[in-house]
């Protein structure tokens, strides 16, 4: 699977290796959990961010240091992003294998806000091979 640039409306459940440029529409901090079981008692920070391009919008789950990059109105290049499933809906995420770059130029597109891919519910169906 080579890396290719995709648009929001091309994202599908449980896929990865996406390069995608998005604008951040909004950010809401979901959780700030302190884990005291480790030697340094790390804080786990999580934010749900609405991001999108000219084809649609999707919720991006930002973790820890990624949360600072998720400023409203900024344009981000997501490298090697993947789709996580949360309660049957898609969430865009970047794990250790990927990276987030803040674009120097703001994106020229207008975000299509009436096509929210995170509102589509997917039912996971196990196909049994005979």
């Amino acid at each position: 699977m080579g890396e290719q640039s995709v648009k929001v409306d091309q994202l599908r459940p449980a896929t990865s290796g996406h390069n995608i440029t998005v604008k951040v529409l909004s950010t809401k901090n979901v959780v700030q959990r302190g884990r005291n079981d480790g030697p340094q008692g790390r804080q786990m920070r999580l934010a749900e961010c609405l991001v999108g391009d000219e084809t649609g919008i999707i919720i991006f789950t930002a973790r820890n240091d990624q949360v600072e990059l998720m400023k409203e109105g900024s344009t981000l290049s997501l490298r090697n992003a993947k789709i996580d499933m949360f309660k049957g809906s898609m969430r865009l995420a970047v794990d250790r294998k990927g990276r987030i770059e803040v674009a120097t130029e703001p994106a020229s597109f207008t975000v299509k806000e009436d096509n929210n891919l995170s509102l589509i519910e997917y039912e996971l169906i196990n196909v049994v091979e005979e």
Side-chain angles (χ1 to χ4, degrees), residues 27-114:
T27 296
K28 96 170 176 266
N29 288 328
V30 184
V31 69
Q32 194 146 0
R33 274 202 301 264
R35 287 215 311 260
N36 300 324
D37 52 4
Q40 71 277 31
R42 283 219 325 267
Q43 283 275 9
M44 164 81 173
R45 288 182 307 153
L46 212 58
E48 286 197 340
C49 316
L50 206 49
V51 302
D53 63 14
E54 70 275 25
T55 67
I57 57 178
I58 191 165
I59 293 172
F60 178 87
T61 306
R63 290 179 175 85
N64 299 323
D65 296 350
Q66 297 176 350
V67 174
E68 267 90 64
L69 302 173
M70 294 290 148
K71 294 187 171 49
E72 276 180 44
S74 57
T75 300
L76 304 175
S77 279
L78 309 179
R79 302 263 167 240
N80 204 13
K82 61 178 186 153
I83 295 292
D84 286 331
M85 298 306 287
F86 176 74
K87 293 182 181 164
S89 70
M90 296 197 295
R91 297 282 190 275
L92 191 57
V94 172
D95 63 13
R96 288 184 188 89
K97 295 189 211 94
R99 65 180 191 273
I100 301 175
E101 295 164 357
V102 178
T104 46
E105 303 265 304
S108 55
F109 55 71
T110 303
V111 176
K112 181 174 168 62
E113 294 188 43
D114 58 0

Side-chain angles (χ1 to χ4, degrees), residues 100-130:
I100 301 175
E101 295 164 357
V102 178
T104 46
E105 303 265 304
S108 55
F109 55 71
T110 303
V111 176
K112 181 174 168 62
E113 294 188 43
D114 58 0
N115 183 23
N116 186 341
L117 274 79
S118 289
L119 293 180
I120 302 168
E121 269 197 37
Y122 289 89
E123 232 172 280
L124 297 178
I125 299 164
N126 292 327
V127 178
V128 179
E129 301 281 329
E130 292 291 324

